[in-house]
Short mmCIF file of all heavy atoms in Angstrom, two decimals:
data_model
loop_
_atom_site.label_atom_id
_atom_site.label_comp_id
_atom_site.label_asym_id
_atom_site.label_seq_id
_atom_site.Cartn_x
_atom_site.Cartn_y
_atom_site.Cartn_z
N TYR G 1 101.50 121.71 89.02
CA TYR G 1 100.81 121.14 90.24
C TYR G 1 101.35 119.71 90.62
O TYR G 1 101.08 119.26 91.63
CB TYR G 1 99.31 120.90 89.96
CG TYR G 1 98.62 122.23 89.66
CD1 TYR G 1 98.22 122.68 88.48
CD2 TYR G 1 98.37 123.11 90.72
CE1 TYR G 1 97.54 123.80 88.23
CE2 TYR G 1 97.73 124.30 90.56
CZ TYR G 1 97.32 124.69 89.22
OH TYR G 1 96.70 125.91 89.09
N ARG G 2 102.15 119.13 89.70
CA ARG G 2 102.57 117.75 89.89
C ARG G 2 103.52 117.64 91.16
O ARG G 2 104.37 118.54 91.35
CB ARG G 2 103.37 117.25 88.68
CG ARG G 2 102.36 116.91 87.47
CD ARG G 2 102.96 116.18 86.40
NE ARG G 2 103.56 114.99 86.71
CZ ARG G 2 102.81 113.85 86.87
NH1 ARG G 2 101.56 113.89 86.63
NH2 ARG G 2 103.39 112.72 87.05
N LEU G 3 103.48 116.54 91.86
CA LEU G 3 104.44 116.24 92.86
C LEU G 3 105.59 115.43 92.25
O LEU G 3 105.51 114.75 91.27
CB LEU G 3 103.79 115.37 93.92
CG LEU G 3 102.57 116.07 94.62
CD1 LEU G 3 101.79 115.04 95.48
CD2 LEU G 3 103.04 117.15 95.49
N PRO G 4 106.86 115.50 92.94
CA PRO G 4 107.94 114.77 92.39
C PRO G 4 107.52 113.17 92.37
O PRO G 4 106.88 112.77 93.38
CB PRO G 4 109.05 114.97 93.39
CG PRO G 4 108.66 116.28 94.08
CD PRO G 4 107.15 116.17 94.05
N VAL G 5 108.03 112.45 91.39
CA VAL G 5 107.68 111.09 91.29
C VAL G 5 108.48 110.32 92.41
O VAL G 5 107.88 109.46 93.06
CB VAL G 5 108.08 110.52 89.86
CG1 VAL G 5 107.98 108.99 89.85
CG2 VAL G 5 107.24 111.21 88.86
N SER G 6 109.71 110.67 92.76
CA SER G 6 110.52 109.98 93.64
C SER G 6 110.75 110.97 94.80
O SER G 6 111.20 112.14 94.58
CB SER G 6 111.85 109.60 93.03
OG SER G 6 112.58 108.85 93.96
N LEU G 7 110.62 110.54 96.03
CA LEU G 7 110.86 111.30 97.26
C LEU G 7 111.98 110.66 98.13
O LEU G 7 111.97 109.38 98.26
CB LEU G 7 109.52 111.43 98.05
CG LEU G 7 108.42 112.04 97.29
CD1 LEU G 7 107.12 111.92 98.14
CD2 LEU G 7 108.63 113.55 97.01
N ASN G 8 112.76 111.45 98.74
CA ASN G 8 113.86 110.99 99.61
C ASN G 8 113.35 111.14 100.96
O ASN G 8 112.98 112.22 101.53
CB ASN G 8 115.08 111.76 99.39
CG ASN G 8 115.58 111.77 97.94
OD1 ASN G 8 115.73 110.54 97.47
ND2 ASN G 8 116.00 112.85 97.42
N LEU G 9 113.56 110.09 101.77
CA LEU G 9 113.26 110.07 103.24
C LEU G 9 114.55 109.93 104.07
O LEU G 9 115.58 109.57 103.42
CB LEU G 9 112.40 108.81 103.55
CG LEU G 9 111.09 108.76 102.80
CD1 LEU G 9 110.39 107.37 103.12
CD2 LEU G 9 110.15 109.89 102.98
N PRO G 10 114.51 110.30 105.39
CA PRO G 10 115.85 110.16 106.16
C PRO G 10 116.27 108.67 106.00
O PRO G 10 115.46 107.81 105.93
CB PRO G 10 115.31 110.43 107.47
CG PRO G 10 114.02 111.23 107.38
CD PRO G 10 113.45 110.78 106.04
N GLN G 11 117.56 108.66 106.08
CA GLN G 11 118.31 107.31 105.93
C GLN G 11 117.81 106.44 107.13
O GLN G 11 117.56 106.95 108.18
CB GLN G 11 119.77 107.53 105.95
CG GLN G 11 120.17 108.27 104.63
CD GLN G 11 121.76 108.25 104.49
OE1 GLN G 11 122.40 108.12 105.56
NE2 GLN G 11 122.24 108.45 103.30
N LEU G 12 117.84 105.15 106.87
CA LEU G 12 117.51 104.27 107.84
C LEU G 12 118.73 103.55 108.44
O LEU G 12 119.67 103.10 107.77
CB LEU G 12 116.72 103.05 107.19
CG LEU G 12 116.07 102.02 108.05
CD1 LEU G 12 115.21 102.47 109.05
CD2 LEU G 12 115.43 100.88 107.19
N ARG G 13 118.77 103.58 109.91
CA ARG G 13 120.01 102.96 110.52
C ARG G 13 119.83 101.47 110.35
O ARG G 13 118.86 100.99 110.82
CB ARG G 13 120.13 103.41 111.93
CG ARG G 13 120.39 104.87 112.10
CD ARG G 13 120.72 105.17 113.61
NE ARG G 13 120.84 106.46 113.82
CZ ARG G 13 122.07 107.16 113.68
NH1 ARG G 13 122.97 106.63 113.12
NH2 ARG G 13 122.13 108.46 113.69
N THR G 14 120.82 100.75 109.89
CA THR G 14 120.88 99.26 109.83
C THR G 14 122.18 98.83 110.57
O THR G 14 123.04 99.63 110.83
CB THR G 14 120.89 98.69 108.38
OG1 THR G 14 122.07 99.23 107.67
CG2 THR G 14 119.57 99.27 107.77
N ALA G 15 122.34 97.60 110.59
CA ALA G 15 123.63 96.99 111.25
C ALA G 15 124.80 97.37 110.38
O ALA G 15 125.80 97.56 110.94
CB ALA G 15 123.39 95.52 111.44
N GLY G 16 124.62 97.49 109.11
CA GLY G 16 125.66 97.89 108.27
C GLY G 16 125.95 99.26 107.98
O GLY G 16 126.84 99.69 107.21
N GLY G 17 125.19 100.11 108.81
CA GLY G 17 125.45 101.56 108.58
C GLY G 17 123.97 102.24 108.33
O GLY G 17 123.01 101.97 108.89
N LEU G 18 124.02 103.19 107.30
CA LEU G 18 122.87 103.83 107.00
C LEU G 18 122.39 103.51 105.51
O LEU G 18 123.27 103.28 104.70
CB LEU G 18 123.09 105.41 106.93
CG LEU G 18 123.47 106.05 108.33
CD1 LEU G 18 123.71 107.42 108.23
CD2 LEU G 18 122.20 105.86 109.23
N SER G 19 121.11 103.24 105.40
CA SER G 19 120.56 102.89 104.04
C SER G 19 119.66 104.01 103.55
O SER G 19 118.85 104.51 104.27
CB SER G 19 119.83 101.64 104.14
OG SER G 19 120.60 100.52 104.53
N PRO G 20 119.93 104.42 102.32
CA PRO G 20 118.98 105.35 101.81
C PRO G 20 117.56 104.89 101.67
O PRO G 20 117.40 103.55 101.47
CB PRO G 20 119.62 105.70 100.40
CG PRO G 20 120.41 104.66 100.05
CD PRO G 20 120.84 104.01 101.32
N ARG G 21 116.56 105.74 101.83
CA ARG G 21 115.25 105.41 101.47
C ARG G 21 114.44 106.20 100.61
O ARG G 21 114.76 107.54 100.59
CB ARG G 21 114.40 105.44 102.86
CG ARG G 21 114.83 104.30 103.76
CD ARG G 21 113.85 104.32 105.04
NE ARG G 21 113.75 105.58 105.65
CZ ARG G 21 112.86 105.88 106.52
NH1 ARG G 21 111.80 104.98 106.94
NH2 ARG G 21 112.77 107.01 107.13
N LYS G 22 113.69 105.78 99.75
CA LYS G 22 112.95 106.52 98.79
C LYS G 22 111.49 105.97 98.67
O LYS G 22 111.38 104.85 99.16
CB LYS G 22 113.56 106.48 97.32
CG LYS G 22 114.98 107.04 97.18
CD LYS G 22 115.41 107.07 95.68
CE LYS G 22 116.69 107.67 95.58
NZ LYS G 22 116.70 109.22 95.80
N CYS G 23 110.64 106.84 98.27
CA CYS G 23 109.26 106.32 98.00
C CYS G 23 108.66 107.13 96.83
O CYS G 23 109.16 108.16 96.46
CB CYS G 23 108.37 106.45 99.20
SG CYS G 23 107.93 108.20 99.81
N GLY G 24 107.59 106.74 96.38
CA GLY G 24 106.86 107.36 95.38
C GLY G 24 105.89 108.42 95.88
O GLY G 24 105.53 108.46 97.08
N SER G 25 105.48 109.37 95.10
CA SER G 25 104.50 110.37 95.40
C SER G 25 103.21 109.67 95.86
O SER G 25 102.43 110.31 96.71
CB SER G 25 104.26 111.31 94.25
OG SER G 25 103.67 110.76 93.17
N GLY G 26 102.85 108.60 95.46
CA GLY G 26 101.62 107.87 95.90
C GLY G 26 101.69 107.35 97.28
O GLY G 26 100.66 107.05 97.84
N SER G 27 102.87 107.47 97.92
CA SER G 27 103.02 107.07 99.40
C SER G 27 103.19 108.26 100.34
O SER G 27 103.37 108.09 101.55
CB SER G 27 104.24 106.19 99.50
OG SER G 27 104.13 105.02 98.72
N LEU G 28 103.01 109.53 99.75
CA LEU G 28 103.34 110.77 100.53
C LEU G 28 102.40 110.69 101.74
O LEU G 28 102.59 111.13 102.85
CB LEU G 28 103.02 111.94 99.71
CG LEU G 28 103.27 113.25 100.39
CD1 LEU G 28 104.73 113.44 101.03
CD2 LEU G 28 103.02 114.41 99.42
N ASN G 29 101.05 110.18 101.62
CA ASN G 29 100.15 110.17 102.71
C ASN G 29 100.66 109.41 103.92
O ASN G 29 100.57 109.66 105.10
CB ASN G 29 98.75 109.68 102.21
CG ASN G 29 98.81 108.15 101.81
OD1 ASN G 29 99.80 107.73 101.14
ND2 ASN G 29 97.86 107.37 102.13
N GLN G 30 101.30 108.24 103.53
CA GLN G 30 101.90 107.46 104.67
C GLN G 30 103.09 108.01 105.24
O GLN G 30 103.42 107.98 106.53
CB GLN G 30 102.34 106.04 104.04
CG GLN G 30 101.05 105.24 103.72
CD GLN G 30 101.41 103.83 103.33
OE1 GLN G 30 101.89 103.19 104.05
NE2 GLN G 30 101.30 103.55 101.96
N VAL G 31 103.93 108.72 104.48
CA VAL G 31 105.17 109.36 105.02
C VAL G 31 104.77 110.29 106.08
O VAL G 31 105.34 110.22 107.21
CB VAL G 31 105.93 110.20 103.79
CG1 VAL G 31 107.05 111.06 104.36
CG2 VAL G 31 106.42 109.22 102.85
N TRP G 32 103.88 111.17 105.90
CA TRP G 32 103.44 112.10 106.90
C TRP G 32 102.63 111.43 108.08
O TRP G 32 102.69 111.79 109.16
CB TRP G 32 102.62 113.35 106.25
CG TRP G 32 103.65 114.29 105.48
CD1 TRP G 32 104.96 114.29 105.63
CD2 TRP G 32 103.34 115.07 104.47
NE1 TRP G 32 105.50 115.19 104.81
CE2 TRP G 32 104.49 115.76 104.09
CE3 TRP G 32 102.13 115.40 103.85
CZ2 TRP G 32 104.52 116.64 102.97
CZ3 TRP G 32 102.12 116.40 102.84
CH2 TRP G 32 103.31 117.00 102.44
N ARG G 33 101.76 110.54 107.58
CA ARG G 33 100.97 109.96 108.62
C ARG G 33 101.67 109.21 109.72
O ARG G 33 101.32 109.26 110.93
CB ARG G 33 100.00 108.83 108.01
CG ARG G 33 99.12 108.01 109.01
CD ARG G 33 98.39 106.95 108.27
NE ARG G 33 97.55 107.34 107.15
CZ ARG G 33 97.48 106.62 106.09
NH1 ARG G 33 97.90 105.42 106.03
NH2 ARG G 33 96.77 107.09 105.01
N TYR G 34 102.85 108.64 109.30
CA TYR G 34 103.65 107.84 110.30
C TYR G 34 104.80 108.72 110.82
O TYR G 34 105.75 108.18 111.37
CB TYR G 34 104.17 106.54 109.70
CG TYR G 34 102.93 105.60 109.38
CD1 TYR G 34 102.57 105.30 108.09
CD2 TYR G 34 101.96 105.31 110.38
CE1 TYR G 34 101.48 104.55 107.72
CE2 TYR G 34 100.95 104.46 110.00
CZ TYR G 34 100.69 104.08 108.79
OH TYR G 34 99.59 103.40 108.46
N GLY G 35 104.83 109.92 110.68
CA GLY G 35 105.72 110.85 111.27
C GLY G 35 107.07 110.98 110.51
O GLY G 35 108.08 111.48 111.24
N SER G 36 107.27 110.63 109.38
CA SER G 36 108.41 110.80 108.63
C SER G 36 108.50 112.17 107.97
O SER G 36 107.52 112.96 108.20
CB SER G 36 108.78 109.73 107.65
OG SER G 36 110.14 109.82 107.17
N LYS G 37 109.50 112.43 107.16
CA LYS G 37 109.50 113.67 106.46
C LYS G 37 110.23 113.43 105.26
O LYS G 37 110.95 112.41 105.03
CB LYS G 37 110.29 114.76 107.27
CG LYS G 37 111.59 114.43 107.64
CD LYS G 37 112.36 115.49 108.42
CE LYS G 37 113.81 115.09 108.68
NZ LYS G 37 114.49 116.20 109.36
N CYS G 38 110.09 114.27 104.29
CA CYS G 38 110.77 114.30 102.95
C CYS G 38 111.95 115.28 102.98
O CYS G 38 111.89 116.26 103.62
CB CYS G 38 109.88 114.66 101.92
SG CYS G 38 108.53 113.47 101.63
N GLU G 39 113.05 114.81 102.26
CA GLU G 39 114.23 115.56 102.30
C GLU G 39 114.54 116.09 100.84
O GLU G 39 113.91 115.72 99.97
CB GLU G 39 115.35 114.73 102.92
CG GLU G 39 115.22 114.44 104.25
CD GLU G 39 116.27 113.55 104.86
OE1 GLU G 39 116.96 112.83 104.15
OE2 GLU G 39 116.42 113.51 106.10
N HIS G 40 115.63 117.01 100.80
CA HIS G 40 116.05 117.52 99.65
C HIS G 40 116.09 116.43 98.51
O HIS G 40 116.45 115.37 98.67
CB HIS G 40 117.41 118.09 99.76
CG HIS G 40 118.02 118.85 98.57
ND1 HIS G 40 117.54 120.13 98.26
CD2 HIS G 40 118.89 118.48 97.77
CE1 HIS G 40 118.20 120.40 97.17
NE2 HIS G 40 118.95 119.48 96.91
N PRO G 41 115.75 116.76 97.24
CA PRO G 41 115.36 118.20 96.74
C PRO G 41 113.92 118.61 96.97
O PRO G 41 113.61 119.73 96.95
CB PRO G 41 115.76 118.05 95.29
CG PRO G 41 115.44 116.55 94.90
CD PRO G 41 115.81 115.77 96.14
N ALA G 42 113.08 117.65 97.30
CA ALA G 42 111.64 118.00 97.58
C ALA G 42 111.34 117.75 98.98
O ALA G 42 110.96 116.70 99.44
CB ALA G 42 110.72 117.09 96.72
N ASP G 43 111.62 118.71 99.82
CA ASP G 43 111.39 118.62 101.23
C ASP G 43 109.97 118.96 101.61
O ASP G 43 109.20 119.34 100.73
CB ASP G 43 112.46 119.50 102.07
CG ASP G 43 112.19 121.04 101.72
OD1 ASP G 43 111.22 121.42 101.16
OD2 ASP G 43 113.15 121.77 102.14
N ASP G 44 109.69 118.88 102.83
CA ASP G 44 108.27 118.95 103.38
C ASP G 44 107.74 120.32 102.93
O ASP G 44 106.50 120.58 102.55
CB ASP G 44 108.07 118.79 104.85
CG ASP G 44 108.29 117.31 105.25
OD1 ASP G 44 108.08 116.39 104.32
OD2 ASP G 44 108.46 116.99 106.39
#
């Protein structure tokens, strides 16, 4: 039943290019609330 500890989000565009984004499973409620999505290996 466990959720992955670390989740991958779409990369963030910055002036220097793309930056990877990660969050913990405790932030999953915010990921979906604010319209983001999770990516491989644990996608939505």
Side-chain angles (χ1 to χ4, degrees):
Y1 298 103
R2 290 186 62 82
L3 298 169
V5 175
S6 180
L7 301 169
N8 297 316
L9 304 177
Q11 293 184 342
L12 183 63
R13 291 189 187 278
T14 63
L18 295 174
S19 295
R21 291 190 304 163
K22 293 187 179 289
C23 72
S25 60
S27 298
L28 183 58
N29 65 317
Q30 292 186 66
V31 170
W32 288 337
R33 179 186 308 145
Y34 298 117
S36 192
K37 62 181 182 175
C38 295
E39 297 182 333
H40 183 77
D43 62 15
D44 287 344

